[in-house]
Amino acid sequence: MDDSIEDLGTLFAELNASPQFVIGQLGQSLDGRIALPSGESKYINGASGLDHIHRIRATVDAVLVGVGTVIADDPQLNVRRVPGRDPARVVLDPNGRLPASARCLQNDGARRLVVRRPSAAGALPDGVERVEVEGTGALDPAAVVAALRARGLKRILVEGGPRTLSAFLDGGAIDHFHIIVSPVILGSGRTGLDLKPITGLSAALRPTTRVHVFPDGDVLFACDLRRRAGGEGRQDHAHRDLCPAG
């Protein structure tokens, strides 16, 4: 256990030393569920896993979620469980569905940004920055990351929901992916990821991964998507240009 905690400190030291990165975070059960069929999801992960999420929030410049997560869960997206500053809060809201009363839009001193298509309607509360990204359909993760970095937000946590995480993974826009697995079996409910099909196992992502066991039994899989297991770098040139290691 002590070695695991020491390695976790090293992991955060590496993140703190990186000038820019995108990190995805997912908490799930042993059978890959993030919520019951009813939508109940608080809390699948234990206290240690929740502390870890808040520690990541305190490390990054911005925490990003899709509008579906805001409508379903109304998260605060601030730092409460560990010491640290609140990151900027970013909501992907391409069609202007975000309620102005959302807790993540409340003025508590942190930057608040909403990413929309130029055609999207809907007023935003005072002080909330509107970020416009061109395109049709779902917002392009690479364009979103570029727009945020142009505004000084270079270290980004993609926290949910599953559709947003899946889009960023499919788009090669995530450098690190932290999956916290809780020792519980739900048996049914919503799964955490829904990625595009692959043609064979040779196309599967096999990132270099470190494993950390928390005191309450949750297990963190810290995956470096910039590197394949065995030492090979990713072959996705767009990903290397978007999210350089360092």
Side-chain angles (χ1 to χ4, degrees):
M1 189 65 64
D2 290 341
D3 290 342
S4 174
I5 294 171
E6 182 179 350
D7 288 346
L8 198 55
T10 301
L11 182 65
F12 275 98
E14 292 171 358
L15 290 178
N16 282 317
S18 299
Q20 65 180 37
F21 58 80
V22 179
I23 182 169
Q25 185 281 141
L26 177 68
Q28 66 177 40
S29 66
L30 278 174
D31 53 343
R33 310 287 179 174
I34 63 168
L36 295 174
S38 65
E40 180 183 353
S41 61
K42 294 184 178 180
Y43 288 103
I44 291 175
N45 292 125
S48 295
L50 295 174
D51 289 347
H52 181 76
I53 295 167
H54 281 250
R55 191 175 178 190
I56 297 175
R57 288 181 184 175
T59 300
V60 298
D61 301 321
V63 55
L64 179 152
V65 297
V67 66
T69 292
V70 176
I71 291 173
D73 299 332
D74 197 17
Q76 298 180 67
L77 302 179
N78 56 12
V79 177
R80 303 184 302 280
R81 299 182 63 94
V82 300
R85 58 171 178 77
D86 290 333
R89 301 188 291 268
V90 181
V91 180
L92 301 188
D93 181 33
N95 299 314
R97 296 195 296 135
L98 182 64
S101 61
R103 292 195 295 176
C104 63
L105 296 184
Q106 302 309 303
N107 186 3
D108 59 2
R111 284 180 73 181
R112 297 152 293 153
L113 304 93
V114 175
V115 185
R116 286 179 170 170
R117 295 193 190 94
S119 60
L124 295 172
D126 290 342
V128 177
E129 303 171 46
R130 176 172 173 138
V131 179
E132 294 188 348
V133 173
E134 299 283 354
T136 59
L139 295 172
D140 175 44
V144 170
V145 171
L148 295 179
R149 287 187 171 155
R151 288 162 175 79
L153 304 174
K154 300 182 182 298
R155 296 141 60 92
I156 302 166
L157 166 62
V158 182
E159 196 167 312
R163 183 177 298 177
T164 299
L165 274 168
S166 297
F168 271 69
L169 280 168
D170 274 333
I174 290 182
D175 295 305
H176 306 276
F177 191 31
H178 286 196
I179 304 174
I180 301 175
V181 180
S182 184
V184 60
I185 298 173
L186 302 184
S188 62
R190 191 172 187 182
T191 55
L193 295 173
D194 185 14
L195 302 176
K196 294 177 181 177
I198 58 176
T199 57
L201 286 176
S202 62
L205 290 173
R206 297 182 186 272
T208 299
T209 301
R210 285 183 274 184
V211 179
H212 309 274
V213 181
F214 291 115
D216 55 9
D218 279 9
V219 180
L220 166 67
F221 293 84
C223 307
D224 187 344
L225 292 171
R226 301 167 305 173
R227 300 179 178 88
R228 294 181 185 271
E232 297 179 7
R234 287 196 61 172
Q235 302 303 308
D236 185 337
H237 295 280
H239 183 280
R240 283 207 304 271
D241 293 340
L242 174 65
C243 306

